[in-house]
Amino acid sequence: ALAAGAVTPTDVIKTRLQLKGGKEKYKDIPTAFRMILRDEGPIALFKGAVPRMGVVGSLFAITLLAFETQKKYMIKYNLL
């Protein structure tokens, strides 16, 4: 989940460039980074970080549970 929070600024920049008119407004990645910092401040680069981290953490928990359940089943029936 921490990694998801750490890469949120890159996702914010990508999303801004993908929006209608984003390529014309921001031109490229370095320009988008500078404009967001200048106009909105550093916190703007982390918009949506908390919900994203919650989703990633939950998905990891589900994946781990499914893996462990499947592993126990495979061991129980000698499928490994």
Side-chain angles (χ1 to χ4, degrees), residues 3-58:
V7 299
T8 297
T10 58
D11 194 49
V12 168
I13 292 169
K14 173 194 65 92
T15 303
R16 299 280 181 99
L17 287 168
Q18 287 177 334
L19 290 172
K20 186 175 183 180
K23 193 72 172 159
E24 291 76 27
K25 180 178 179 180
Y26 294 109
K27 309 284 185 258
D28 55 22
I29 293 171
T31 304
F33 179 75
R34 286 191 301 272
M35 286 178 71
I36 293 168
L37 278 180
R38 183 189 69 217
D39 298 342
E40 302 173 51
I43 298 225
L45 291 170
F46 291 93
K47 285 183 178 178
V50 173
R52 182 177 180 180
M53 291 167 65
V55 167
V56 169
S58 299

